Amino acid sequence: MDLLEDDGPAGGGNNTPEFSVAELSGAVKRTLEATFGRVRVRGEIGRVMHARSGHLYYTLKDDRNALDCTTWKGQVRGLGVLPEEGLEVIVTGKLSGYGPQSKYNMNVDSMEVAGEGALMAMLEKRRKALAAEGLFDAERKQTLPFLPEVIGVVTSPQGAVIRDILHRLRDRFPRKVLVWPVPVQGPDCAPKVAAAIHGFNAFTQGGALPRPDLLIVARGGGSVEDLWGFNEEAVVRAAAESAIPLISAVGHETDTTLIDHASDRRAPTPTAAAEMAVPVRADLLAHIETLGARASRALGAAQNQRGQRLRDLSRGLPRAESLLDIPAQRLDALDRRLPAALSARVARDQVRLGQAAGALRPSALERATQGQAEQLRTRSERAQRAAGRLVRLAATQFQQLSARLSPTPLDRQVQMQRQALDQVAGRLETVQRQHLRDATARLAALGRMVDTLSYTATLARGFAVVRGADGILTSASAARAAGTFEIEFAGRETVPAQSLSAAPRPRARPKRSEPDRDDGQGSLL
Amino acid sequence: MSDDNNDISQMSFEQAMAELEQVVSRLESGDVALEESITLYERGAALREHCAGKLKQAEEKIAKITLDGSGAPTGTQPMEPQ
């Protein structure tokens, strides 16, 4: 049917206008926006999603329903309170539709915590979380400088707060003050205060801007909401991290914000912060002067005291001469005693000498001699007795030995030796006679042999011996050379002779082949 | 003497005053040798002078930090307390 009706545009009975999806979505969106306009909605925040684009998506819910909410990136800063899950809030914004997903949602541009109770609950939760991190630990607290040179103040440049601080500083101790202007409420408050604390810490010593020795973060009193920026995590963390000692002075005495927990000192008011920051110059000057005066007085007193003591002591000091009096007196006394002591000593020694000399007499020596003579006598008697004994013993031994001594054996031996000698002498005589006979016989034989062998016997057989002046001549040439000689014949008779062939000998020599033998023969004949 | 007291110029007011107080009480105790008491007094005088100097440097100068668009400090401008 529907199809047919659609096909037939002129189909009657149905006047319902026809929309496209886009038309209807647009119409719904317009209706939502027009009907509700800006609305305030109270609820508890459910899931929160921080998109990377910077937009925030979250839901607002009660026990049965949920409302999708968006806050665009550009709106986040103006939101006031950032959505946190479980936080009871009242949001303000406008309702709209989202065609692509057939959804409606609320674009929220403002958010506040729903009631003090909820706000306090959230604050307590945050405080516990930060305390758990140790940001509020007592060990983190730094001591404030006694007299800072430069004080950095983070606050609004207008209003009573900075005025009070500067006045009080001027009263006590005028110092260099650098004011870092920040908004002290509203959405910009927390990020700017945090940036200011970081900014002061970033100053370097000796840089273009002097680095403060002390920071004061201050704000006047206000509602919980007004002071809310000083409860923000960024501010609390910046205060805790500050290397420069930091005094917080936010709100009135009864107001406590989280920065007070993180700061090094909490001042109940801005004026009190200035009082903590510097000492009173006039008091110090007076104190210094007092100290100076006390030092001078003490030194003067010390000197006076010592001077007095010196005078007292000098009075007590004895005169130099008087120091010698007693020793001199002692010397005199000793001097007097010295000769007496010497003579006393001599006398004492004389007495001792006399005693010793008295004991020294000849009888004493005699006594000693007699004793020794007695001893000598005793000993010589003993020696004589001993000697007699020795002699008798030796005589006995001698007698025994001489009894054993007899000549008989000696005689016997002599007898035997004599017989042996007689025998040997007998034999010697016999042998001697025989030797004599033998020698006589051999002498006769040898005599005969000599006679036989003698040249005289030869002479007897007609031979002769020729002798020159120099002996026997055995050759003709020798005879010729000798000239004169003698000839021996048997019976020892000699005849002188002369060689005749001495003259013709040179003539015969060339004619004969054997002149020597011929000459010899010839002369001899 | 001045050599020994060179360190004083580097002292903070608080340190110098604390030492000055010590010096004075030692001097007042009277158990310091005479020589030392003079040295001590001289040091005390130097400390006092240093402290007084620090106190005289009480100049008031108040300035407001100027910031650029991104919140970074660019300089200072004088600021009068009302």
Side-chain angles (χ1 to χ4, degrees), chain A residues 277-308:
Chain A
V278 292
V280 179
R281 177 170 168 265
D283 291 353
L284 289 177
L285 272 172
H287 184 53
I288 296 292
E289 289 313 312
T290 311
L291 287 174
R294 274 169 62 193
S296 302
R297 207 164 43 241
L299 186 70
Q303 283 173 341
N304 281 339
Q305 200 183 356
R306 282 176 172 83
Q308 186 58 47

Side-chain angles (χ1 to χ4, degrees), chain A residues 167 170 281 287 294 306, chain B residues 21 28 32 55 60 82:
Chain A
H167 277 162
R170 176 186 285 175
R281 177 170 168 265
H287 184 53
R294 274 169 62 193
R306 282 176 172 83
Chain B
E21 278 171 344
E28 285 176 338
V32 184
L55 293 177
E60 186 185 75
Q82 289 85 34

Side-chain angles (χ1 to χ4, degrees), chain B residues 11-32:
Chain B
M11 280 187 179
S12 74
F13 177 84
E14 192 183 10
Q15 285 174 315
M17 198 173 68
E19 195 184 332
L20 177 58
E21 278 171 344
Q22 237 178 343
V23 164
V24 170
S25 45
R26 281 195 68 194
L27 276 173
E28 285 176 338
S29 75
D31 58 0
V32 184

Side-chain angles (χ1 to χ4, degrees), chain A residues 235-288:
Chain A
V235 171
V236 176
R237 287 191 186 281
E241 286 163 12
S242 177
I244 303 172
L246 187 146
I247 301 172
S248 67
V250 176
H252 290 304
E253 207 152 336
T254 50
D255 301 326
T256 301
T257 50
L258 292 186
I259 192 177
D260 293 330
H261 295 289
S263 64
D264 296 305
R265 283 288 292 278
R266 183 216 172 208
T269 61
T271 303
E275 287 170 0
M276 286 176 186
V278 292
V280 179
R281 177 170 168 265
D283 291 353
L284 289 177
L285 272 172
H287 184 53
I288 296 292

Side-chain angles (χ1 to χ4, degrees), chain A residues 146 163 166-167 170 173-179 181 209 281 284 287-289 291-292 294 296 306, chain B residues 13-14 21 24 28 32 34 37 41 48 51 55 57-65 67 76 81-82:
Chain A
F146 183 75
R163 203 176 58 224
L166 292 176
H167 277 162
R170 176 186 285 175
F173 206 128
R175 297 275 78 183
K176 290 181 192 143
V177 178
L178 281 176
V179 179
L209 293 167
R281 177 170 168 265
L284 289 177
H287 184 53
I288 296 292
E289 289 313 312
L291 287 174
R294 274 169 62 193
S296 302
R306 282 176 172 83
Chain B
F13 177 84
E14 192 183 10
E21 278 171 344
V24 170
E28 285 176 338
V32 184
L34 188 63
S37 76
Y41 178 78
R48 183 177 152 263
C51 287
L55 293 177
Q57 287 166 15
E59 79 175 305
E60 186 185 75
K61 196 178 190 181
I62 295 155
K64 188 171 77 175
I65 288 171
L67 304 166
T76 58
Q82 289 85 34

